[in-house]
Structure formats: structure tokens, C-alpha cells
């Protein structure tokens, strides 16, 4: 595992950056939060740091250096920006050609450019799981509910579909129920996909009274694992429950969990399984 | 091409069965429409035929035989039924075990069972394109608008994604804009997928003022081509236009078109391309 003196959290939206900042504060680590405006959660404002817009690339790197940061983690959601609307500083303007070239190769290529720019500037770039290993999805059942044989079949099929769409940089999430692929995630995100499943005809999906099917998330095979690992949290569970699913599966050590204890308690209460599958058990090695 | 005396149209929902019935009437062919209640369009009621619910399997076959039908075409949309709600006749009840076994193998397996049951009864089973060849998507640009180089790149990428999800029996439609996969179709259908694209952030998609991206449809590689070929019609065009897309592509001879002339006129007016791609041009042979 890498070592560093002071950690910079480059923070987009969602709960994951908040969880990580709270973890740093609770364990007495030296850290600094570069909040990306307007995406970063307001809950981050009580932590040491700076708030800058997405286009302030040079300004942000300087602020991180001034604070003594030597390693950064890129964390949280940032929607694809409209370049014409961004206030780009000089550093960001110099990156435009590289960005445009990468943009047509998908989200992952775009993030890789950002990551490399920070490495060029002398920062170590870490994955959230290097900073907070217990965020990673564990293997097996996380709570009291375990998948049945039928659920394991859905998990295997969904894992295969997710691998295929991931290899093409489409997305990370898939819903399969009773062998039938109900939904595949692309740009709309997991929450919107689950809302769509909830509105499918009741004949193809489960219900809270008779749960069927699984939401599965796994990293893209080509993915730079330091950024953009799939995330599962209480909101994911809420969406899966409302869609009548029987549970959620994630690749063991291939997804980040947010507020896992809270999620497990709620899943146990609702009767959903939470499960970390290995590649071996879905027939991949 | 197969030959037959009298054609039975086993008709689900959508416009395609209506187009085919009108074609039979206009060309003086002998035909009989088995309307599936409640899905078949009311426009089919003026044609010779019978109206029966989905579960009246034996009754429908008998009606087709009594009418002198020797070849059938299965055409139009039928949502996945709730078996417990269906009124199944004896013949249909006998098929339940086969249906249940096929159901977990996806839509295609399910349709194949239906098809084989009709073959066992002595009917020829035809594809809509055998009956009405000019329904098939032609090669190249259909109207006045032609795809640019950037659109051809999106077409190639979408074709690759559609092949991958099709091989796993997920679906037939994909939207790609500027190299980014915006949406992948599963159980929700093309219209819902296009509505979803229209609601994505404006930064990732096109607009009616600055159109970007393509809707692509192609058959699943494993698909029984006599049933369930992808369909493109005026409604598809309307959805693609509203989603800010630059055009629609279909595999040449691998999709059925509904009211193509009307669709071309409207696409020309709105500035969208309609295009039949070959496997060779997307790098497949």
C-alpha cells in the first residue's frame, strides 16, 4: 500500500467524499478537501479545504500544493461538463485538446486524462480503497439474507452482461430477474435505471411482496481502478427495494460501499440480500 | 422464397400487423388475421379474421385451420404475460412446462417455443419480410440526409455494442453520441429508451438545433429472424428527433420498416438521416 503525508480529496457530488472526509477526521489523518463547485456536498464545508469550480485546474493544484498535499484521491460524481460554460483557468485551457481527444473514448478515458495531469504535477493518485480499505465490497453475504440458487443464476448472468457492456465502456450496472435482462445502465446512472425497472410491467419484475431479480454492479474490465469504481449505498438499496428486486450484488473488492452498516440493517429489515461475488463463482476463472 | 396458399397473420400490437394486413388486401392475397386480444390494433377489425386472447392457443390454431390457412406469420408486440392471469385453453396448458423452461432463457427462446408449436401443427412459419420483402431496411441512406464521418463512427460503435448485448439476449437498440454510449435498450423498449435520452443532461446529448448521435437497431446475432426483427417506424423517428439525435441506423435487411415513405419525408423535413448499414462497413467481415 502506498504511503503519503497529507491527503487531498478532490471531491465531486454524492456521499462517498463525505464518508471519506469523516473517516480522515475520525482517524486523525492530515487531509485537505478540494470541493468542486457546485457538485460537492454542503456537508464537506466543515472540513479543511477550498471550494473551486471544475475549470480552475491550475488554481486547485496550487491550493493543494500550498496546503502541503502530496497524494490525491479523485472521488464523487461530476457530470460531463459543457466546455463552453466552464470558466477555465490557464492550466485547464491547455488541457482542452487532450480532453476533447479523450472525450470520444468514453468516461474512463476522460478520467484518465485528469488523473495523469495530477501525476504529472507530482501528486500520488490513490484509489479511495487505498485510503479506506474497509470501503471495498466484501466477499459473500453482507447481512442476514443470502441469495438462493435462482438468485445466483441471475447474478452469473448479470455479471456476464456487465462484463460485456463494461468492456465497451457503456456502464457498470445491470438488472436481471429470472434470467431476463430487465435494464442496462449507460449515462442515466443507477438510480434512474432502478426507477425504470420499478415502472416495467409487473409481469416481468418482482414486487416488495414477492421479490425477484438482482441489481449487479462491477467495474469495467478496462477500468482505471483508482477512479470511478462502482458505488453502492443506502440510496442504491432504496431504489432496488422499490423496484421489487431480491437483492444487490457487487464484485468483491470491485465496488465501494457507503454507510454499509446502515445499508445492511435496512436490507435485513426489508429482506433483500447484499452480496459480494467473486469472478470464480461467476465462471470467469 | 417459400410458397403458400393462404396466409395467417397472428397479430400482436403495434402498426406492423396493420401494414402487413393492408398489403395483403391491396395485392389481392388470400389472408386471415388472428387478432390477439387485447393487444392487436382496432384497425385490424375490418380485415377477415378472428379475435382471441393469448391463452387460446388451441382455439386459434383451429380457427386458422378452419379458414384454410397453411402458413403463418407471428407479428407485432405482445408483452410478457402473467401466466396466472391468462385464460389458457387445453393446448396452451399443455405448453406451460416448455414455456417456463424457455422463459428463463430470454425473449428469443420464448418466441421460438411458440413458433415450433405452430410448425408441429403443420403450419409453415414465415418471416414478415418473406411476405412483404420491401419492408426490410434497405442499404445506404434512405432519404436526403446522409451521415457524416462522425455519425459513421457513432454507427460503428453502436453496432458493436448492439452485437454484444444482442449476443446475451438483452435487447436490440443502442444510442451513441460523439463516441459516448448514452443508452442501452433492455425490457423497456425503444420508445422509453429514447424518452430517457431526451431527459439526459444537455451536455451529453444533442438538441433539435444541434443534432448529435444515432439510434441504432439490429437483430440479435442468435435471433430467429422469422420473429422479432427490430422495427423502425414514424414513432421511432419522432422519439429520435425529440431526443436531439442526428439520425437512425438499422442493419440493412436486418430490420423491418413501417410506413417508410412517411418516415423519410418527415426525416428530410427535420434534418435526420435514416441509414441501413452493412456488417462490412462496421468492420465485421
Amino acid at each position: 500500500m502506498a504511503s503519503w503525508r497529507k491527503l487531498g480529496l478532490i471531491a465531486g457530488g454524492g456521499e462517498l467524499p463525505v464518508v471519506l472526509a469523516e473517516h480522515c477526521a475520525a482517524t486523525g489523518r492530515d487531509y485537505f478537501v478540494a470541493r468542486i463547485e457546485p457538485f460537492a456536498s454542503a456537508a464537506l464545508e466543515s472540513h479543511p479545504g477550498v471550494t473551486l469550480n471544475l475549470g480552475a485546474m491550475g488554481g486547485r493544484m496550487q491550493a493543494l500544493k500550498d496546503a502541503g498535499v502530496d497524494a490525491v484521491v479523485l472521488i464523487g460524481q461530476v457530470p460531463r461538463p459543457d466546455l463552453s460554460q466552464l470558466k477555465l483557468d490557464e492550466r485547464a485551457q491547455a488541457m482542452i485538446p487532450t480532453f476533447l481527444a479523450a472525450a470520444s473514448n468514453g468516461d474512463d478515458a476522460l478520467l484518465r486524462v485528469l488523473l495523469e495531469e495530477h501525476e504529472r504535477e507530482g501528486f500520488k493518485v490513490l484509489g479511495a480503497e487505498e485510503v479506506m480499505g474497509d470501503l471495498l465490497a466484501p466477499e459473500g453475504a453482507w447481512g442476514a439474507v443470502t441469495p438462493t440458487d435462482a438468485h445466483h443464476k441471475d447474478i452469473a448472468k448479470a455479471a456476464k452482461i456487465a462484463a460485456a457492456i463494461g468492456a465497451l465502456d457503456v456502464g457498470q450496472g445491470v438488472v436481471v430477474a429470472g434470467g431476463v435482462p430487465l435494464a442496462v445502465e449507460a449515462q442515466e446512472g443507477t438510480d434512474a435505471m432502478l426507477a425504470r425497472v420499478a415502472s416495467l410491467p409487473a409481469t416481468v419484475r418482482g414486487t416488495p411482496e414477492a421479490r425477484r431479480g438482482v441489481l449487479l454492479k462491477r467495474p469495467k474490465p478496462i477500468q482505471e481502478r483508482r477512479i470511478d469504481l462502482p458505488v453502492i449505498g443506502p440510496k442504491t438499496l432504496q431504489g432496488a427495494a422499490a423496484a421489487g428486486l431480491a437483492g444487490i450484488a457487487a464484485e468483491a473488492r470491485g465496488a465501494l460501499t457507503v454507510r454499509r452498516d446502515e445499508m445492511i440493517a435496512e436490507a435485513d429489515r426489508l429482506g433483500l440480500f447484499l452480496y459480494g461475488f467473486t469472478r470464480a463463482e461467476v465462471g470467469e476463472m
Side-chain angles (χ1 to χ4, degrees), chain A residues 37-67:
Chain A
E37 197 173 22
F39 312 115
S41 164
L44 287 170
E45 275 158 35
S46 57
H47 296 270
V50 65
T51 304
L52 289 164
N53 67 57
L54 190 60
M57 198 66 68
R60 181 161 40 243
M61 288 191 186
Q62 196 54 55
L64 289 163
K65 288 202 156 177
D66 290 347

Side-chain angles (χ1 to χ4, degrees), chain A residues 15 67 81 84 93 95 109 132-133 136 149 153 201 206 226 274 281:
Chain A
E15 262 204 298
S84 68
Q93 281 176 29
M95 289 178 66
M132 193 172 165
L136 282 178
D149 286 354
K153 277 188 196 166
R226 283 176 297 177
L274 298 170
E281 73 182 277

Side-chain angles (χ1 to χ4, degrees), chain A residues 2 38 49 75 90 106 127-128 143-144 146 171-172 189 212 214 249 255 266 281-282:
Chain A
I75 194 167
E90 218 169 297
T146 54
Q172 305 173 317
R212 284 180 63 217
V214 62
E266 184 67 0
E281 73 182 277
V282 296

Side-chain angles (χ1 to χ4, degrees), chain A residues 6-32:
Chain A
K6 183 165 182 173
L7 181 68
L9 279 64
I10 302 180
E15 262 204 298
L16 194 58
V18 181
V19 170
L20 187 50
E22 287 172 358
H23 177 75
C24 289
T27 54
R29 299 206 199 178
D30 215 5
Y31 71 108
F32 183 84

Side-chain angles (χ1 to χ4, degrees), chain A residues 91-116:
Chain A
R91 179 68 175 254
Q93 281 176 29
M95 289 178 66
I96 290 181
T98 324
F99 257 123
L100 289 179
S104 65
N105 290 322
D107 287 351
D108 206 52
L110 208 54
L111 287 166
R112 206 179 297 253
V113 166
L114 204 60
L115 181 159
E116 281 165 3

